[in-house]
């Protein structure tokens, strides 16, 4: 059973209160209401559910432990189907409790009360989960032929066939029951503890800008300011604070890399990323082909684009902090929240009214947290919670054009999560490689809608440039991150790494991916420290490149598709975790195992750079 409380795949969250915050330039920014889950940390319903989950878990263990082989021979009462329904109900309940605890904690990790609440609930859920751990292990010990016959004979068991088939892929890497229980219980004082240390450290970091202490999100946002002096100050502040805290980030990185190495060794994984590939239900060869294709395209994508941008900004080389600097043609007006909302919903509605209807619920029913504020986690995410509830979306909205794209991205996740929820708690979760499909597709719909409305050629140039940069950040940057992680985890096998060694590995992959037009100067060696994916979800990052390239190919099909594309697209999203990527892509004529698949996806980025270059020549 997945320990949902860790929230490891979605990063962070924000406050439990509903309502909103008014900003003079942005308008009323919504704050979500976690009361849809529970009214408060001490709400009677929360206390009752926590107690009920413990009672139900013990009853489930007493009822089914040691009896699954016999249950596999029965149909109906006392059969595997009945056990799976009870297990799924428990998974949903524990997921709801864990989501509430985690989201409340991440609203302000500096609040000791939130930290205690999170820790206590996490401990309780770990204890409860230990009573359920036997189920997957024992189920995997049932003979394959007996299990196949059970699923064929019993419609209820057959309903869960995709989950059972996926579960049996884990079988070669599972340990005996006692060791699995030890791994589960020790996770609180190993990986989970260092994840929490990272989150609390990041939340408390402040960056000195002209004497004012700013949080991470605000400081990172300054790297997109038009004034180069502001960008330089932000970069300097980031480098200083990251460097001042290198010891703790180096300790966290070393500890988690070693912890993963121990787990991989005991479970028998051959490659350092194989556990992630298994979780993503994607073959190592497919990921290797993706990484190789992107690396081969560095000169045609990032190197070429940044050389063009340096020329536009009148320099031979861009400072590393100018990588996402706006072009002079970029509109400087702040985009109010209502405009961003209308932009995204309009783009979604033009594709499919149902998509806009689902996304609209996030606004109407207060499922979004938008303001940027002290204590709130940086970045953005969509958290699915559980099928019996609904997803939540967090953004730090500051009115930039990229913030609109981020909103479109996260709402794409949200729509996907709502649609996949129909599969139930066990089968709704989409592997990360496909989890980015709807989000990136939502971004593309929004971008294309805005681009079509933009008639001014200079504004069009700025929009194309920003989209190219976002795609480079999603594809090139994330594969560079993946290669960095590989180098760190491989080097850690030989011994503990110093901050300098980790910094050198970081600079090596950054220099290769960004190219000669980016000047990597002193200070940048510590910028690996703030990437949460390295901490929460090792090797998560290639999923972004996978999703972007996949969507580029999917969008090309959409542009030339006959009627019915939208229906097939919704079926893909509704499938959740019930189908392999090959099965889901087949109706679109796409195959990620085809060696040319990734080249097709990358060619769309190259085509946008071609279009941008032609437009630049036209403008003189």
């Amino acid at each position: 059973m997945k320990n949902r409380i860790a929230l490891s795949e979605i990063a962070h969250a924000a406050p439990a209160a509903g309502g909103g915050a008014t900003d003079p330039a942005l308008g009323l920014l919504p704050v979500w209401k976690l009361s849809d889950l529970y009214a408060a940390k001490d709400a009677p319903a929360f206390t009752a559910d926590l107690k009920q989950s413990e009672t139900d878990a013990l009853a489930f263990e007493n009822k089914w432990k040691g009896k699954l082989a016999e249950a596999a021979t029965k149909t109906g009462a006392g059969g595997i189907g009945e056990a799976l329904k009870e297990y799924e109900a428990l998974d949903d309940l524990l997921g709801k409790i864990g989501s509430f605890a985690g989201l409340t904690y991440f609203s302000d990790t500096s609040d000791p009360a939130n930290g205690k609440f999170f820790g206590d609930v996490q401990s309780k859920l770990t204890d409860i989960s230990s009573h359920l751990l036997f189920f997957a292990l024992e189920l995997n010990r049932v003979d394959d032929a007996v299990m196949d016959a059970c699923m064929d004979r019993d419609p209820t068991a057959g309903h869960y066939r995709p989950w059972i088939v996926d579960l049996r892929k884990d079988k070669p890497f599972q340990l005996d029951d006692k060791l699995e229980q030890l791994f589960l219980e020790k996770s609180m004082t190993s990986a989970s503890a260092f994840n929490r240390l990272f989150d609390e450290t990041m939340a408390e970091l402040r960056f000195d800008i002209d004497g004012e202490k700013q949080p991470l999100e605000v400081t990172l946002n300054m790297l997109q300011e038009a004034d180069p002096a502001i960008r330089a100050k932000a970069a300097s502040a980031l480098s200083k604070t990251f460097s001042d805290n290198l010891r703790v980030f180096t300790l966290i990185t070393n500890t988690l890399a070693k912890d993963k190495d121990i787990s991989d060794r005991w479970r028998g994984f051959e490659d350092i990323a194989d556990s992630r590939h298994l979780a993503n239900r994607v073959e190592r060869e497919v990921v290797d082909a993706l990484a190789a294709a992107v690396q081969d395209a560095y000169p045609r994508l990032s190197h070429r684009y940044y050389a063009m941008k340096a020329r536009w900004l009148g320099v031979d080389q861009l400072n590393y902090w100018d990588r996402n600097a706006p072009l002079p043609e970029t509109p400087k007006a702040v985009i109010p929240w209502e405009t961003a909302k209308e932009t995204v919903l309009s783009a979604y509605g033009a594709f499919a009214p149902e998509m806009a209807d689902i996304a609209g619920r996030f606004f109407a029913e207060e499922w979004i947290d938008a303001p940027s504020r002290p204590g709130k986690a940086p970045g953005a995410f969509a958290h699915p919670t559980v099928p019996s509830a609904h997803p939540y979306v967090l953004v730090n909205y500051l009115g930039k054009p990229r913030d609109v794209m981020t909103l479109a991205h996260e709402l794409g996740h949200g729509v996907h999560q709502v649609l996949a929820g129909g599969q139930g708690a066990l089968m709704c979760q989409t592997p990360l490689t496909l989890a980015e499909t709807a989000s990136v597709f939502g971004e593309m719909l929004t971008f294309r809608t805005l681009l079509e409305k933009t008639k001014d050629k200079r504004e069009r140039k700025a929009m194309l440039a920003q989209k190219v940069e976002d795609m480079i950040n999603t594809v090139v940057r994330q594969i560079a991150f993946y290669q960095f992680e590989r180098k760190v985890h491989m080097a850690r096998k030989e011994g503990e790494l110093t901050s300098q060694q980790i910094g050198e590995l970081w600079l090596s992959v950054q220099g290769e991916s960004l190219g000669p037009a980016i000047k990597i100067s002193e200070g940048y060696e510590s910028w690996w420290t703030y990437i949460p994916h390295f901490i929460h979800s090792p090797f998560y990052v290639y999923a972004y490149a996978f999703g972007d390239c996949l969507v580029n190919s999917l969008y090309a099909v959409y542009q030339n598709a006959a009627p019915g594309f939208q229906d097939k697209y919704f079926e893909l999203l509704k499938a959740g975790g019930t189908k392999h990527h090959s099965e889901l892509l087949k109706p679109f004529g796409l195959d990620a195992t085809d060696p040319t698949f990734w080249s097709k996806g990358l060619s769309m980025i190259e085509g946008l750079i071609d279009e941008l270059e032609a437009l630049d020549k036209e403008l003189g």
Side-chain angles (χ1 to χ4, degrees), residues 31-325:
V31 176
W32 61 25
K33 54 173 186 177
L34 291 185
S35 57
D36 286 357
L37 297 174
Y38 297 101
K41 290 183 287 188
D42 57 354
F46 179 82
T47 304
D49 276 359
L50 190 58
K51 183 175 179 58
Q52 188 64 51
S53 66
E54 182 177 20
T55 300
D56 290 350
L58 286 167
F60 183 86
E61 183 181 34
N62 291 331
K63 180 178 180 179
W64 296 107
K65 189 172 183 180
K67 303 170 185 175
L68 295 185
E70 180 184 354
T73 65
K74 298 179 179 179
T75 300
I80 290 293
E82 180 184 345
L84 283 162
K85 287 184 68 175
E86 293 179 9
Y87 183 77
E88 183 171 50
L90 268 166
D91 186 72
D92 192 279
L93 180 58
L94 292 174
K96 181 182 178 183
I97 294 168
S99 291
F100 179 73
L103 294 174
T104 300
Y105 165 68
F106 284 118
S107 66
D108 183 1
T109 59
S110 64
D111 184 343
N114 282 351
K116 175 175 171 49
F117 176 66
F118 176 77
D120 288 348
V121 173
Q122 186 179 43
S123 178
K124 194 69 173 175
L125 290 186
T126 300
D127 290 342
I128 293 170
S129 296
S130 69
H131 295 292
L132 304 173
L133 184 63
F134 80 91
F135 186 70
L137 301 171
E138 189 174 325
L139 202 61
N140 266 349
R141 288 197 290 268
V142 176
D143 183 79
D144 288 346
V146 173
M147 184 59 70
D148 288 340
C150 173
M151 291 187 288
D152 290 340
R153 184 182 64 253
D154 184 348
T156 305
H159 167 75
Y160 293 98
R161 184 185 297 272
W163 185 81
I164 293 171
V165 170
D166 263 358
L167 179 67
R168 294 178 96 76
K169 292 176 182 176
D170 297 332
K171 188 175 180 178
F173 309 102
Q174 289 180 342
L175 307 173
D176 64 56
D177 292 19
K178 284 292 186 182
L179 281 173
E180 289 289 356
Q181 185 167 353
L182 177 63
F183 268 66
L184 174 65
E185 294 185 10
K186 287 287 287 181
S187 67
M188 280 194 61
T189 54
S190 54
S192 295
F194 281 87
N195 272 250
R196 180 174 168 183
L197 174 61
F198 174 85
D199 291 327
E200 294 189 6
T201 302
M202 289 304 305
E204 292 179 355
L205 292 186
R206 291 297 179 265
F207 304 86
D208 191 339
I209 308 290
D210 292 331
E212 293 189 18
K213 304 293 185 181
Q214 302 288 359
L216 177 63
E217 188 69 26
V218 172
T219 311
L220 288 172
N221 191 64
M222 291 180 181
L223 299 176
Q224 299 176 40
E225 289 290 340
D227 186 345
I230 294 177
R231 298 196 300 269
K233 287 179 182 179
S236 177
L238 288 163
S239 295
K240 184 180 187 309
T241 300
F242 293 155
S243 296
D244 288 346
N245 290 273
L246 266 181
R247 286 186 64 186
V248 67
F249 289 121
T250 300
L251 174 62
I252 292 170
T253 299
N254 272 292
T255 302
L256 289 176
K258 185 61 178 178
D259 183 77
K260 185 179 185 304
D261 180 50
I262 293 169
S263 177
D264 285 353
R265 179 159 41 83
W266 275 85
R267 296 187 181 281
F269 287 110
E270 293 180 4
D271 184 78
I272 52 176
D274 276 353
S275 59
R276 173 61 60 195
H277 302 332
L278 179 66
N280 286 344
R281 299 307 187 236
V282 64
E283 299 74 21
R284 186 200 305 172
E285 295 76 17
V286 172
V287 178
D288 288 348
L290 164 65
V294 174
Q295 285 183 278
D296 184 61
Y298 285 171
R300 306 193 306 276
L301 302 179
S302 50
H303 297 189
R304 177 187 173 199
Y305 173 75
Y306 290 132
M308 289 168 56
K309 185 169 185 177
R311 188 176 71 250
W312 295 336
L313 296 182
V315 295
D316 293 328
Q317 279 186 307
L318 294 167
N319 291 307
Y320 68 81
W321 58 80
D322 292 329
R323 185 169 52 82
N324 291 319

